Amino acid sequence: MTVNELKDKLNLKPLVEDDYDREVKDCYIGDLLSWVMGRAPADSAWLTVMGNINSIAVATLADVSCIILVENAALDDNARQKAEMHGVNILTTEENSYTVAVALSKLI
């Protein structure tokens, strides 16, 4: 499944679009950035409430397919600019991590 297909099927709102044809193979939930950095699988959708510049660095290092900001978590302006510079796909939803992960698990 691609990021674009995921966006459409889960009704996610795009915040930063880079490579929406990138494949999503897994899902990871976490808000402790150092934990995510060492454990999030490459090509996964990362579900978090962390919409700051540090989350962009973690997404890049972990090579995730996208960040999904859950529960309408905000993306700050510095993070948006850094995501655009580094090609990090970011989507958002009002749903919580559990709900998104369950729906995503049925798709991948």
Side-chain angles (χ1 to χ4, degrees):
M1 155 159 307
T2 67
V3 173
N4 193 52
E5 291 169 331
L6 181 68
K7 174 185 67 80
D8 292 342
K9 291 182 181 195
L10 297 182
N11 296 316
L12 304 172
K13 178 184 171 191
L15 297 178
V16 176
E17 299 179 56
D18 182 64
D19 180 9
Y20 270 26
D21 290 326
R22 182 154 179 197
E23 192 170 355
V24 177
K25 297 179 181 177
D26 206 339
C27 175
Y28 193 83
I29 302 170
D31 297 319
L32 183 59
L33 299 180
S34 60
W35 194 268
V36 174
M37 186 169 45
R39 290 174 175 80
D43 300 319
S44 62
W46 173 24
L47 283 54
T48 185
V49 295
M50 301 298 293
N52 61 39
I53 196 165
N54 295 327
S55 63
I56 306 309
V58 169
T60 302
L61 288 169
D63 196 27
V64 298
S65 299
C66 62
I67 296 173
I68 300 174
L69 294 173
V70 295
E71 298 185 40
N72 286 325
L75 177 66
D76 69 41
D77 290 334
N78 290 335
R80 181 185 305 272
Q81 290 172 2
K82 194 63 114 176
E84 290 169 350
M85 283 177 45
H86 291 281
V88 177
N89 297 308
I90 304 179
L91 306 127
T92 188
T93 181
E94 63 186 26
E95 302 293 338
N96 65 34
S97 295
Y98 175 79
T99 303
V100 175
V102 168
L104 193 139
S105 74
K106 294 175 183 175
L107 298 173
I108 56 175

